Amino acid sequence: MRAMQATEVVTALVQLPGWRLHGEGDTLAIEKDWRFASHVQAMLFVNHLGWLAESMGHHPEVVLNHAHCVVRWRTHDVKGLSRRDFEAARQTDALPGAAP
């Protein structure tokens, strides 16, 4: 696994609506936020995300505040973004409750 080049990141990012870059250098990540009708719905989403992360062996940063959730994917091993982050983002978008 290797860090993606800038052009690869941009190409992959445009294929993921709502995802954006966050940070820079070694902390560069892709992130997306969700707003839910209730804290319970947000927690259900985070639980589904936890199962996804375990199944992939790849774990995001999650910020949860009442009914708002931010998910950030990056690959620590390559100190940047890898294809694995973009696959994780695609699978995050497919989780129950992820649709707007």
Side-chain angles (χ1 to χ4, degrees):
M1 187 172 9
R2 66 172 179 79
M4 296 170 69
Q5 299 297 317
T7 54
E8 294 174 301
V9 169
V10 171
T11 300
L13 193 59
V14 297
Q15 297 174 29
L16 292 171
W19 289 88
R20 62 190 172 273
L21 294 176
H22 175 81
E24 58 186 45
D26 290 356
T27 64
L28 184 64
I30 54 173
E31 75 172 15
K32 185 174 181 177
D33 60 305
W34 285 265
R35 298 207 180 266
F36 299 92
S38 69
H39 180 70
V40 170
Q41 288 177 331
M43 288 299 297
L44 288 171
F45 173 75
V46 170
N47 282 330
H48 288 293
L49 180 62
W51 283 105
L52 170 63
E54 282 300 304
S55 72
M56 293 185 74
H58 191 48
H59 302 87
E61 177 181 340
V62 179
V63 179
L64 178 64
N65 183 0
H66 182 60
H68 178 232
C69 179
V70 178
V71 177
R72 290 186 191 113
W73 291 102
R74 69 184 173 108
T75 304
H76 301 272
D77 296 346
V78 301
K79 298 184 177 169
L81 294 169
S82 72
R83 297 213 177 274
R84 192 173 202 192
D85 299 307
F86 289 90
E87 178 56 30
R90 275 188 283 284
Q91 290 190 38
T92 302
D93 282 341
L95 289 174

